[in-house]
Amino acid sequence: MGESLTIGELAKLGKVNLETIRYYEQQGLIPKPPRLSSGYRSFPADAVNRVRFIKQAQELGFSLREVKELLDLQVNPDSTGADVKQRADAKLADIEEKIKILQAMKKSLMNLTATCNGKSSIGDCPIIKSLNSDKG
Amino acid sequence: MGESLTIGELAKLGKVNLETIRYYEQQGLIPKPPRLSSGYRSFPADAVNRVRFIKQAQELGFSLREVKELLDLQVNPDSTGADVKQRADAKLADIEEKIKILQAMKKSLMNLTATCNGKSSIGDCPIIKSLNSDKG
DNA sequence: CTTGACCCCGTATCTATCTACGGGGTTTAT
DNA sequence: ATAAACCCCGTAGATAGATACGGGGTCAAG
C-alpha cells in the first residue's frame, strides 16, 4: 500500500479521461497532489476511490458542486460537528428523496412489465402517474 | 378535467422556464400539442405530469435521452410486448443500481452523522469508502 | 381600439462538464 | 541516446441542456 499514481494511471483506474482529472483538481474536487521534481503529479492510491465516488454521485444526479459539498463533509476539519451534522442531514434528505422517487419508478416499471408481459399492447401503462405523488 | 393549457401555464405548473417547454417539444420529450387558430400551443392538462416526470428523472441522473427512452416505453404502441419488456428490464436494472448506491451513501452519511454527533472532529469519516463496494 | 400580457419563431448565448490541441519537457525501454 | 509514451500548461472547442433576444402577431380588459 501507499503506491502513488501518475495522472494517467489514476485516469485509467478511475475510468475517466486524463483531462478530467486535471479538471476535477481545478474545481477542487480532488486535492492538489504533490509534484515530483519533474513537475508530474503524484496521486495517492486512494485518489481512485475519490474519482469513482465523483462519477457515481454524478450518475445519481448530483452536480459537481453538490459532490463537492458531500466530499467537504468529511474533509473540512474546522467546521463544528453540529455544522457538519446539519449539512449531512440535508444531504441525507436529498438522498432519501431520490431513493423514494426511484422506488416509485421501479414499481411502475415492474407494473408495466408485468402488465405487458410479452404480448398485449400497452398504450398507457402508468409510468408517469406513479410519480408526482405529492411533492411540490 | 380536460382543461387545456397555454405554454406559459404549463411552464408555471411544471416549474420550468417557458423556453424549456419548447425545447422539450423539439427534443421529442413532449408530444407536439395541437395549435389554436392563432398558432398558440394548447396542451392537455396532464402534460404537467410529463414535465415533472422529466425533471424528476433528470434529478436522478437520467439524461434527456434516457428519459425519452423511459417515456417511449409507455408510448410506443408498435413495439412488441417482449421488446418493451426487455427495454423496461434494462431500465429497471439501472434504477436498482442507483437505489443500491444511494442506499450505500445514505448508510455512510448516517454513520458520519452518528460518529460526529455534535462534537468530535471528523477527519476522515468514510463517506467515500462505503461506495466502490464491488462494481467495475 | 389601445395597452399590457401573452404567444410565435429563429437564432444566439449561457452554464456545466468535459475533451482536444499544440508546443514543449520527461521517462523508459531498447 | 533516441524513439515512444507519458506529462506539463494554457487555451480552445465540444456537448447537453437550457435561456435569452428581438421582431412581430394575439388576446382580454377597459
Side-chain angles (χ1 to χ4, degrees):
Chain A
M1 44 179 58
E3 290 303 316
S4 75
L5 305 171
T6 66
I7 191 171
E9 290 164 340
L10 176 55
K12 184 159 294 183
L13 292 172
K15 292 178 187 161
V16 298
N17 189 298
L18 181 147
E19 309 294 331
T20 302
I21 303 289
R22 295 213 294 126
Y23 177 73
Y24 286 171
E25 181 185 331
Q26 228 179 275
Q27 301 303 306
L29 288 154
I30 295 177
K32 284 187 186 301
R35 301 298 183 105
L36 303 177
S37 53
S38 56
Y40 286 19
R41 290 169 179 79
S42 177
F43 291 96
D46 68 356
V48 176
N49 292 330
R50 183 170 275 240
V51 173
R52 289 188 180 156
F53 176 87
I54 295 167
K55 285 319 251 180
Q56 285 193 323
Q58 269 190 309
E59 283 161 20
L60 296 167
F62 293 101
S63 68
L64 289 187
R65 188 182 182 313
E66 289 170 322
V67 175
K68 189 158 153 41
E69 287 168 7
L70 272 167
L71 290 169
D72 285 349
L73 284 177
Q74 85 186 312
V75 165
N76 226 325
D78 54 337
S79 47
T80 70
D83 173 34
V84 172
K85 178 154 176 37
Q86 193 164 46
R87 287 185 291 135
D89 283 348
K91 291 300 173 195
L92 212 40
D94 290 354
I95 289 169
E96 277 164 356
E97 175 70 17
K98 283 177 195 283
I99 290 175
K100 253 175 60 180
I101 298 174
L102 281 168
Q103 277 168 344
M105 285 182 64
K106 174 177 168 176
K107 199 167 158 183
S108 314
L109 266 181
M110 283 175 51
N111 181 45
L112 183 148
T113 61
T115 304
C116 317
N117 181 15
K119 40 166 35 177
S120 60
S121 108
I122 304 149
D124 52 6
C125 288
I127 302 182
I128 289 177
K129 279 159 195 153
S130 56
L131 304 185
N132 308 310
S133 28
D134 59 318
K135 57 160 316 196
Chain B
M1 41 180 60
E3 291 303 316
S4 76
L5 304 171
T6 65
I7 191 172
E9 290 164 341
L10 176 55
K12 184 158 294 183
L13 291 172
K15 291 178 187 161
V16 298
N17 188 299
L18 181 149
E19 309 294 330
T20 303
I21 304 289
R22 295 214 293 126
Y23 177 72
Y24 286 172
E25 181 186 330
Q26 228 178 275
Q27 302 304 305
L29 287 155
I30 294 177
K32 284 187 185 301
R35 301 299 183 104
L36 304 177
S37 53
S38 56
Y40 285 20
R41 291 169 178 80
S42 176
F43 292 96
D46 68 357
V48 176
N49 292 330
R50 182 169 276 241
V51 172
R52 288 189 181 156
F53 177 87
I54 294 168
K55 284 320 248 180
Q56 285 192 324
Q58 269 190 309
E59 282 161 20
L60 295 167
F62 293 100
S63 67
L64 288 187
R65 188 182 182 313
E66 289 171 321
V67 175
K68 190 157 152 43
E69 288 168 7
L70 273 168
L71 290 170
D72 285 350
L73 284 178
Q74 85 187 313
V75 166
N76 226 326
D78 55 336
S79 48
T80 70
D83 174 34
V84 172
K85 177 153 177 35
Q86 193 163 46
R87 287 184 292 133
D89 283 349
K91 290 300 172 195
L92 214 40
D94 290 354
I95 288 169
E96 277 165 357
E97 175 70 17
K98 283 178 195 283
I99 290 174
K100 252 175 60 179
I101 298 173
L102 281 168
Q103 277 168 345
M105 285 182 64
K106 173 178 169 175
K107 199 167 156 183
S108 313
L109 266 182
M110 282 175 51
N111 181 45
L112 183 148
T113 62
T115 304
C116 318
N117 181 14
K119 42 173 24 183
S120 60
S121 109
I122 305 148
D124 52 6
C125 288
I127 303 183
I128 289 177
K129 277 159 197 152
S130 56
L131 303 184
N132 309 310
S133 27
D134 58 318
K135 58 161 317 195

